[in-house]
Amino acid sequence: MGIRYRITAFMPLLILFLVSLVLSFALCFISSVSSEIDRMIMILGSGTVYSSSDPSGYAPQGAEVAPVRSGSGLLYSEDGESAVMLKGVGNGYFSGMRGEELSIEVYDQECVNPVVVSSALSDDLSLDLGDRFTLLVWEESRGRARPFLCTVKAVFSSVYPQLDSHLAYVDINLLSSPVGFEMLLPEGADPDSVCTQLWENGIGAQTYRTMYASLYGNVRASIGILYIILAAVALLAAFFSSDAAQSYISRDRKDIHELWMLGMERSAIRGIYFRITLFSVTAAALSGIIIGILCALLSPLAIAAVAAAEPAFLDYYVTSFSVTIPTMPLVAMAVMIEAVSALSVAFSLRSRAFQLS
């Protein structure tokens, strides 16, 4: 057949192509963003596991343990002020995985009371590297506020505004709260088993999943959407593939009738149109999946543009992330499209496709 006939053959499956494109994009985007949010809760929160006693003796290989203090205060600059959550940390806090996973700019000169802030906070208060400001720290044990003259020692790119837009890191000796210990595990490690081991050895601990239950719940809800997407694909594939088969048969009814009159069996004709329809479904779905993945690879650029234009719009989402391709869900989606389409087309062809007499 000519090119015009081929184009006409694919037109009934245009919607399936668009649906596959959108849903494959959604699978990649949701998976990537959810994974990044999950990781940022550990990085910017209280680590993967937080304990009140030093857990270094029970830390698995690759884990990082850091003593921290927490507090709150008011940060004053020439262009405004902001309430901040303070985290007291040591010199090597950002030298490991945190430094690798956060984009940090460091002021390379000596400074008084160095402070690390996010780019979101520095933009709000017009603070640059090396700028000085006043930090009013609340000392809960003494029931008073204590002022400090501080310097912006480093700025890290804001990744998750919900956590870092009002977060500042100060020297651990600047705060007087009890010392806790953050254990940051490599990606893919199981925090629950580590937490259980600590409890078994008399060290009270909790994972980021319980400390930030609402945020983690949002992540799990986002991942749960993936299963709804897969179910939607199966239903849509059944509907549109059956519709395509009916369209092809209606278009070729005269040719089908001639083949039938020449003695071709109905089962052979059904087999021809089964293969035609399934080939079209496969081409439409695979094309949509491939283009959806390509669009997902470009999505960080779109998110960065939105974050620059409307920062408040992405307060509950990460503003930068690396795209990960969820291979198994995408394969499952493709297999479901093929399997459900095959059943739908076979049933449609057998039940009412060749009512020509």
Side-chain angles (χ1 to χ4, degrees):
M1 296 297 179
I3 185 66
R4 182 177 298 179
Y5 187 94
R6 293 175 184 272
I7 293 174
T8 304
F10 284 108
M11 286 303 293
L13 290 168
L14 177 61
I15 297 179
L16 181 59
F17 164 78
L18 294 175
V19 168
S20 300
L21 187 157
V22 171
L23 294 182
S24 61
F25 171 83
L27 282 170
C28 296
F29 183 80
I30 293 173
S31 176
S32 301
V33 170
S34 299
S35 298
E36 188 69 14
I37 291 177
D38 189 69
R39 187 59 177 172
M40 285 303 110
I41 295 175
M42 306 180 212
I43 297 289
L44 300 173
S46 297
T48 313
V49 177
Y50 181 85
S51 62
S52 55
S53 302
D54 189 355
S56 299
Y58 307 99
Q61 185 177 5
E64 297 175 0
V65 178
V68 296
R69 285 191 170 114
S70 60
S72 59
L74 293 173
L75 195 156
Y76 295 90
S77 70
E78 293 182 358
D79 296 298
E81 65 278 337
S82 175
V84 290
M85 296 299 297
L86 301 174
K87 183 178 289 188
V89 299
N91 291 330
Y93 188 78
F94 291 102
S95 62
M97 286 183 281
R98 289 181 180 86
E100 295 173 358
E101 298 184 42
L102 294 175
S103 178
I104 302 178
E105 295 182 57
V106 180
Y107 183 62
D108 58 2
Q109 299 183 26
E110 292 294 327
C111 53
V112 178
N113 294 325
V115 177
V116 179
V117 298
S118 68
S119 59
L121 184 57
S122 68
D123 290 342
D124 288 342
L125 301 178
S126 299
L127 290 171
D128 294 322
L129 291 173
D131 286 353
R132 293 191 176 185
F133 60 89
T134 300
L135 180 63
L136 197 62
V137 178
W138 175 251
E139 294 183 333
E140 187 174 357
S141 60
R142 300 182 181 181
R144 68 177 188 182
R146 185 180 177 188
F148 292 91
L149 179 64
C150 301
T151 308
V152 179
K153 176 65 175 178
V155 176
F156 65 89
S157 296
S158 180
V159 180
Y160 192 15
Q162 176 71 1
L163 284 177
D164 62 36
S165 60
H166 294 279
L167 176 64
Y169 296 88
V170 300
D171 187 90
I172 193 170
N173 296 316
L174 211 64
L175 304 178
S176 58
S177 60
V179 176
F181 293 87
E182 293 180 0
M183 182 188 297
L184 182 62
L185 301 178
E187 291 189 67
D190 181 18
D192 293 322
S193 61
V194 174
C195 189
T196 300
Q197 183 184 17
L198 293 178
W199 276 103
E200 290 174 350
N201 289 276
I203 299 176
Q206 55 182 326
T207 69
Y208 74 101
R209 296 171 180 172
T210 56
M211 294 186 69
Y212 302 94
S214 60
L215 293 177
Y216 183 70
N218 290 338
V219 175
R220 301 310 305 171
S222 298
I223 295 175
I225 293 174
L226 300 180
Y227 299 103
I228 299 176
I229 290 175
L230 292 177
V233 168
L235 294 175
L236 290 170
F239 176 79
F240 290 117
S241 58
S242 177
D243 184 64
Q246 292 302 315
S247 175
Y248 296 154
I249 292 167
S250 298
R251 180 194 61 191
D252 299 341
R253 183 168 291 274
K254 181 180 177 181
D255 296 330
I256 294 172
H257 188 80
E258 290 177 353
L259 292 174
W260 188 21
M261 294 298 294
L262 288 173
M264 182 174 285
E265 297 291 336
R266 291 193 182 191
S267 59
I269 299 176
R270 280 198 297 266
I272 291 172
Y273 279 87
F274 178 82
R275 292 191 294 273
I276 289 173
T277 306
L278 206 59
F279 173 80
S280 300
V281 167
T282 302
L286 290 181
S287 300
I289 291 173
I290 291 171
I291 296 178
I293 292 173
L294 294 177
C295 291
L297 293 173
L298 298 175
S299 61
L301 300 177
I303 292 296
V306 173
E310 294 290 341
F313 186 73
L314 297 173
D315 278 351
Y316 294 90
Y317 297 90
V318 289
T319 56
S320 64
F321 58 94
S322 299
V323 177
T324 57
I325 308 301
T327 305
M328 291 307 298
L330 287 173
V331 170
M333 186 174 77
V335 170
M336 288 177 66
I337 290 175
E338 286 294 305
V340 175
S341 295
L343 292 174
S344 176
V345 172
F347 177 79
S348 178
L349 293 175
R350 184 173 294 276
S351 62
R352 60 182 183 276
F354 301 100
Q355 304 294 331
L356 299 177
S357 56

